[in-house]
Each structure stands twice: as structure tokens, then as C-alpha cells.
């Protein structure tokens, strides 16, 4: 039995995703995804928004992140298990789906471990483009794990970053990151302390994985006139910044009901003022207003960013052919005759 | 590049699911799934439970149904689009996933359009085994769509049903159902009215698809001493039974917070007494207590039933080999080196 066309869902495997990135080029693809994300932030109000649905355990968390723009529905499955690396597993793995709202039929299934790395970096850089001080060309990258190279190259591709200053508690991670970035047209400076890493940097990115209240940046380390891109504080009980920094910053977030639970601002009162970043994109709210201001993007990752990244990938499929057709949906000739379809599939 | 074993997730396609059903036999598989569901109802209290996460549109609904027993996490994606049949599409399509709670890594991806039909029928029959009058051998099957044959054969396999009385507003659906059931060792009586269908039946199953408040069974049609298996009223604004029937029935439900929104009891006050069916399985609550009682299973489908069905399928994989290995997860040698994995995949 050959499944009908309606039964087949395009599936982008990890191998196909990597081929896609190489075919388009990593930096052009980061720019492309950032454009899709910015476009969806422009129409933020029309999306169905809900905090992600999290299932917490002692080892980590498994989350479903759904959203819809009324025509297309999307969701991502993603886990976060900090101890996985000790067993040779990824901290974060993910896959995602788009479906047609009018019929409920899936139209794309895709790996998203790789794609999440791209969309997280593209989001950070798109936000930094709006908020970082004019002429920012140096970033401190604190935490040199799986996200660090993507963050760096997105900042290069989208904000014109020229130099990155690396620091990690584990020097091996810094060596890995520096080696990976060697041939990518950006100055790489390996540092031995966070204080050294943030010297002369206008953009401070924190992206560490410990599931605890940590103080990666203490209050006295951060001067005025910087943009902080705080990535790693993204679940309850997990933060990276001293509360004093938050008190001195203008705080920009994706979706307040989720960020107040998961972001750096879980350390603050529930009514502490925050700015929804989409309002900066649409011009309803000012972004950076002075050279001395500290802007903080308290990023936890939101479903709409995954939706945008999946839309981008879907739009590349026809031209590249980089997908398999997956026999995911039962599609009998007569839709009421699922049983007949099963009977006709019986071996002779 | 060959993906590592950790990167591969067993995937059961529609074709493999149909082969699995034929290899095991439909009725033995329905009994097997019912046993897994009953076992999970026994340990109901230890599951993470949440009402499904629904995205409603004018055309239908897309839902995510997650749950976890602390060791294994599962979720189902399922849509419900009543108008789909007019376009030659399924009203309901679905797929599901199991993952390891300790690592967050998916361990099974499976089609669930076919499997949902089996789990819904297996649940109905497992419940009827506990609640229907002793010696029940005749069922009225009102609504002869995609679920009708599975409901009938599950009641045969699990409750000893000998005769089914079919009715649908569309006689073509009844003809289809009767033809499909012809060679399955059960008496099939096609009826031209719901009143005729329920004559002499001890089990009344309603399973229609209109997304509206409908009265498939009116109050004066239903006498004492029957078990009503109400399947079709399963989302807000969609019911099948007259409220008067509910007032005269002992009502058994899966998960009250979900059923009060989606089930027949959305017609009743929020504090109307209902019995959680798992308490009947564990012996904490009586099921049927008299011959004259009307028992009503107000079934909307719950995540734990999908979890059980996926567990059953997973336990068949090793012996049958009926799956593909899907390259769904990025798994670099060094988990912090996702970027290095991408670079090494570059074409020469």
C-alpha cells in the first residue's frame, strides 16, 4: 500500500537540517530566521499565546510550546536536562511541527535541536540590533557551551560584531568555542575570568546551564552603557544575574507571564515594570534612550520564535528538497472508513 | 555522516501500525491495550495530570495532551475538524511520543490516528466491562463513522458483545459500518431510527461528530438499567445527550477538570457529583450498584489512555521490528559541541 499524498508530512532530519544550513550558509540563514522572527514580533498581537506547558522532574524539564497565528499552528517539544552532558547526552534536544489551522493536518515535522540553537541566537541578535549601544562591536560571551558559537556568529551577521571575549568555568569549553570560531572572520579573545571577559564589551551575553540561582554577573561588575543578553536563566530556580543589576536596568522580555516565572525577573516583585519587546519592534515603546542606560533582554525563549524558525525552514523545502516524506497520517479514501483502510492493508 | 544510536528515535508509521494490528490481531490488540489502560488507571494518582492544551479555531481544534508517570513522559497531538470529511480529510488525525523523563530524550514517535481509534474503543470497553449490566450482549451504536467498528469489536473482545444495532443520520455510513463488520462474528442489525437502534440494547454508544449541542438521545428514549457510553461530546459546545438523562444517571468520568469543560456534563452545574472512574478500578468507589441504575461514561479521552496505548506499542517493537529509526535528535560526540557537529557535516 502506498500512502496517499495527504498522509505524508515533510520531515526535516538532523542531517537534512545541517545540509540546509550549509547550502544557505550559517550567517545568511541566521539573518533569514531573524527577519522571520522580527516579522512575527511585528504581528505579535494576533498570535495565540500561552506559557509553555512544562513537566518538571528532579533531573530536568520537558516542555511543549504551542502557538498559532490563526492560519498556521506550531509547537515545539524541548527538554532541558543540565546533567545530561555527564552522560554524553545533549542538555537540550527538540523537535517541532507546523500544522494547517483550517484542517488540523501537520504540514512540517522538523528536528529542532540544531534549529533552536539558530533561532535562539537569531532572536538575541535581532533584539541586540534594536537595544545595544550604537557601534557595539565587542561581546563578552560567558558560558561557552553549545549555544556560544551560534550567539557569536548571529551577533556578527546581524549586529556587526567584530570581537568576542570568551569565558567559561571550564577552560576546555572556552578552547572548544575558540577553535570552532577560528575561521569565521571574527576576533576571538579567550579570558580567564568573567571580569576580564566583560572588559570593553558593549554586549554582555550570559548563557550557562546550571539549574540553580547563580550569580554569573555580580552587581559591581556591570557598568553603565551596556546591553545584557541574558539567555541562561530560563526556568524556575535558575538565574544568572545579581538582583542589583536588574534594579538598574531597563528590562525587555518576550512574554511577561512566562518570563516572570522562568526569567531573571523571577527574583523581582511580580509588578516590577518590564517592557514587552514586540512593542519596540512596532514602535509602540522606545528601546534604548540613552548611552548610559543598561538594557537587559531577559530571554527565556518563546513559542513564536520557534514558529518563525519553522516557517523559515518550511519556505526552503520546495527549492532545496531537503526533507523526507513521512507516513505520519492515516488517510483513507473515505474519511469515515478508517476501519476499511485497515482491513484493506491486511496481508493476503 | 551516520547519526549515532542516541540520535535515532523509533518511528511507527501508519503502514507499520496497520501491519502491527494485523500481526497481533485486532481483537487481541484491543484487549492488550485495554489491559495497559486499566493498569494505568490503577496507578492513576501518580501521574502528572493536566487538562489538554487546546487551540480552538472556527473550523476545529488542535490539542496537545501531555502526561507523565515520573519515569516516562508522553504526549499526543490531535486535531478535531468536523468539516474535514467534506474535503476528503479525516476529522481526527493524531501522532504521539514517549520520552525518558530522566534524560528528556524521545524514545518513540508513532502515528496515532489509527492507534487513537483503538485506544478510544479499548477504553470504552474496559469501562463497560466494569459498569454495564451483567450479561449485556447488545449495543446500540449511534453514529457509524470512523470509530464505530472499533467500538463494536472492542465491546465484543472485552465485554462479550453478541449483537450491534447501527444507526446514523446518513444511511451510507450505516451501510459502510455493516459491511465492514460482516465477517467479524457479531450480529449486525441496521436500523433506521435511534429509537429502533436502542431497542433491547443494554449498552448505548453515542459517537457523532457534529460540533454543536445536539440531542442524539432524548430523555424519554432512555429507560432504566442501561449503560451509556457517550463518546462524541468531547469539546466545549459539543454534546449528544439531553440534560434530563444526565440528571437520572450516575456519571463516571476520566478527569473532572477536563470533562466539566468538554464532556456532556458541561450542561450541568460545576458541582454536579461525578465519579472518577479510576476509583472504580482501584475499588475505592462502587461501579454499578443496581440493575435499574443508568450508568453513564462521559468520555472525552484523556492523556493517560494515549500514554498506555503508546506504552503497549513500544513494548511490541523489539519483537516485531515494525518501525523505522528516525534521525530526529542531534547528538554530537561532545554534547557541548553542537557547532562542531555542524561544521563536520559540511560538504567538502
Amino acid at each position: 500500500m502506498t500512502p496517499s499524498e495527504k498522509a505524508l508530512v515533510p520531515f526535516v532530519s538532523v542531517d537534512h537540517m545541517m545540509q540546509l544550513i550549509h547550502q544557505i550558509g550559517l550567517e545568511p540563514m541566521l539573518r533569514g530566521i531573524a527577519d522571520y522572527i522580527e516579522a512575527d514580533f511585528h504581528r505579535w498581537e494576533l498570535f495565540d499565546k500561552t506559557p509553555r506547558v512544562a513537566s518538571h522532574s528532579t533531573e530536568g524539564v520537558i516542555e511543549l510550546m504551542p502557538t498559532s497565528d490563526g492560519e498556521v499552528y506550531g509547537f515545539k517539544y524541548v527538554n532541558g536536562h543540565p546533567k545530561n552532558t555527564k552522560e554524553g547526552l545533549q542538555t537540550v534536544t527538540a523537535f517541532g511541527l507546523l500544522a494547517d489551522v483550517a484542517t488540523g493536518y501537520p504540514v512540517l515535522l522538523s528536528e529542532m535541536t540544531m534549529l533552536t540553537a539558530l533561532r535562539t541566537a537569531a532572536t538575541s541578535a535581532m533584539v541586540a540590533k534594536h537595544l545595544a549601544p550604537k557601534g557595539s562591536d565587542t561581546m563578552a560571551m560567558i558560558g561557552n557551551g553549545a549555544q556560544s558559537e551560534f550567539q557569536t556568529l548571529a551577533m556578527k551577521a546581524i549586529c556587526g560584531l567584530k570581537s568576542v571575549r570568551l569565558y567559561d568555568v571550564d577552560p576546555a569549553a572556552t578552547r572548544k568555542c575558540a577553535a570552532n570560531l577560528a575561521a569565521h572572520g571574527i576576533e576571538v579573545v579567550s579570558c580567564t575570568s568573567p571580569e576580564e571577559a566583560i572588559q570593553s564589551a558593549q554586549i554582555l551575553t550570559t548563557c550557562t546551564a546550571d539549574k540553580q540561582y547563580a550569580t554569573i554577573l555580580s552587581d559591581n561588575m556591570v557598568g553603565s552603557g551596556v546591553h545584557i543578553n541574558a539567555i541562561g536563566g530560563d526556568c524556575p530556580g535558575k538565574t544568572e544575574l545579581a538582583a542589583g543589576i536588574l534594579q538598574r536596568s531597563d528590562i525587555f522580555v518576550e512574554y511577561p507571564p512566562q518570563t516572570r516565572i522562568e526569567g531573571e525577573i523571577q527574583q523581582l516583585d511580580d509588578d516590577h515594570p518590564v517592557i514587552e519587546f514586540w512593542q519596540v519592534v512596532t514602535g509602540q515603546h522606545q528601546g534604548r534612550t540613552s548611552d548610559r542606560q543598561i538594557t537587559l533582554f531577559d530571554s527565556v525563549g518563546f513559542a513564536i520564535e520557534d514558529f518563525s524558525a519553522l516557517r523559515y525552514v518550511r519556505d526552503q523545502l520546495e527549492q532545496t528538497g531537503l526533507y523526507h516524506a513521512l507516513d505520519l497520517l492515516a488517510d483513507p479514501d473515505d474519511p469515515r472508513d478508517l476501519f476499511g483502510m485497515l482491513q484493506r492493508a491486511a496481508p493476503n
Side-chain angles (χ1 to χ4, degrees), chain A residues 213-224:
Chain A
Y213 294 109
T215 305
I216 309 300
L217 294 180
S218 60
D219 194 14
N220 61 3
M221 286 167 66
V222 177
S224 62

Side-chain angles (χ1 to χ4, degrees), chain A residues 12-31:
Chain A
V12 178
S13 68
V14 175
D15 187 53
H16 272 148
M17 184 62 74
M18 294 193 297
Q19 287 186 49
L20 184 67
I21 296 168
H22 287 296
Q23 194 160 313
I24 295 171
L26 177 57
E27 292 186 40
M29 186 155 161
L30 285 163
R31 277 194 293 269

Side-chain angles (χ1 to χ4, degrees), chain A residues 76-134:
Chain A
K76 179 167 79 166
Y77 168 101
V78 60
N79 76 296
H81 285 69
K83 291 176 190 161
N84 267 6
T85 49
K86 289 182 192 157
E87 300 163 46
L89 300 172
Q90 283 288 110
T91 301
V92 172
T93 66
F95 70 91
L97 178 115
L98 292 179
D100 177 16
V101 167
T103 65
Y105 271 47
V107 295
L108 173 69
L109 180 71
S110 176
E111 88 79 34
M112 286 193 79
T113 309
M114 202 60 86
L115 188 61
T116 295
L118 269 68
R119 81 86 159 115
T120 301
T123 302
S124 287
M126 186 273 286
V127 170
K129 183 185 73 177
H130 285 275
L131 296 183
K134 286 267 174 280

Side-chain angles (χ1 to χ4, degrees), chain A residues 130-134 224-227 248 250 252 286-295:
Chain A
H130 285 275
L131 296 183
K134 286 267 174 280
S224 62
V226 296
H227 173 65
R248 292 190 288 131
D250 287 308
F252 298 81
Q286 285 190 300
R288 174 168 291 272
T289 51
S290 93
D291 291 345
R292 297 192 47 78
Q293 187 182 14
I294 302 174
T295 51

Side-chain angles (χ1 to χ4, degrees), chain A residues 17-325:
Chain A
M17 184 62 74
M18 294 193 297
Q19 287 186 49
L20 184 67
I21 296 168
H22 287 296
Q23 194 160 313
I24 295 171
L26 177 57
E27 292 186 40
M29 186 155 161
L30 285 163
R31 277 194 293 269
I33 292 172
D35 287 345
Y36 273 60
I37 295 171
E38 190 163 6
D40 285 340
F41 272 60
H42 258 290
R43 56 194 193 115
W44 185 268
E45 287 171 287
L46 66 77
F47 278 88
D48 265 356
K49 287 174 286 290
T50 176
R52 52 186 144 211
V53 183
S55 176
H56 292 279
S57 62
T58 50
E59 300 91 350
V61 62
I62 296 176
E63 299 171 332
L64 300 174
M65 301 168 69
T67 192
S68 164
D69 70 0
E71 293 185 3
V72 178
Y73 169 94
F75 83 90
K76 179 167 79 166
Y77 168 101
V78 60
N79 76 296
H81 285 69
K83 291 176 190 161
N84 267 6
T85 49
K86 289 182 192 157
E87 300 163 46
L89 300 172
Q90 283 288 110
T91 301
V92 172
T93 66
F95 70 91
L97 178 115
L98 292 179
D100 177 16
V101 167
T103 65
Y105 271 47
V107 295
L108 173 69
L109 180 71
S110 176
E111 88 79 34
M112 286 193 79
T113 309
M114 202 60 86
L115 188 61
T116 295
L118 269 68
R119 81 86 159 115
T120 301
T123 302
S124 287
M126 186 273 286
V127 170
K129 183 185 73 177
H130 285 275
L131 296 183
K134 286 267 174 280
S136 293
D137 60 4
T138 301
M139 174 170 81
M141 180 74 231
I142 300 179
N144 300 155
Q147 176 64 204
S148 57
E149 300 93 344
F150 296 98
Q151 282 284 332
T152 302
L153 293 179
M155 291 289 182
K156 172 176 180 271
I158 293 159
C159 304
L161 196 74
K162 294 192 170 66
S163 177
V164 65
R165 302 175 66 82
L166 305 179
Y167 173 73
D168 196 292
V169 288
D170 179 1
T174 302
R175 283 195 297 274
K176 178 261 328 178
C177 182
N180 280 338
L181 291 172
H184 287 272
I186 188 161
E187 182 190 39
V188 178
V189 181
S190 297
C191 303
T192 55
S193 71
E195 288 79 2
E196 184 188 352
I198 66 175
Q199 277 172 26
S200 76
Q202 304 92 355
I203 300 174
L204 315 183
T205 294
T206 55
C207 189
T208 62
D210 271 340
K211 191 176 180 177
Q212 61 187 346
Y213 294 109
T215 305
I216 309 300
L217 294 180
S218 60
D219 194 14
N220 61 3
M221 286 167 66
V222 177
S224 62
V226 296
H227 173 65
I228 303 174
N229 174 40
I231 305 298
D234 64 353
C235 73
K238 181 169 182 291
T239 60
E240 297 181 320
L241 304 185
I245 299 174
L246 307 184
Q247 298 288 358
R248 292 190 288 131
S249 301
D250 287 308
I251 302 173
F252 298 81
V253 303
E254 289 140 321
Y255 181 59
Q258 184 175 302
T259 311
R260 291 201 189 273
I261 296 167
E262 302 178 351
E264 296 298 332
I265 58 171
Q266 64 186 279
Q267 305 178 64
L268 302 180
D269 291 340
D270 282 349
D271 59 353
H272 190 94
V274 297
I275 301 151
E276 296 188 46
F277 182 74
W278 67 269
Q279 296 191 316
V280 176
V281 173
T282 59
Q284 290 170 258
H285 203 289
Q286 285 190 300
R288 174 168 291 272
T289 51
S290 93
D291 291 345
R292 297 192 47 78
Q293 187 182 14
I294 302 174
T295 51
L296 166 62
F297 179 41
D298 185 4
S299 176
V300 297
F302 190 60
I304 293 174
E305 296 150 16
D306 301 306
F307 180 91
S308 311
L310 287 168
R311 279 206 304 119
Y312 177 88
V313 168
R314 187 189 181 197
D315 286 350
Q316 315 309 315
L317 293 189
E318 196 178 341
Q319 200 183 329
T320 64
L322 291 172
Y323 64 95
H324 298 290

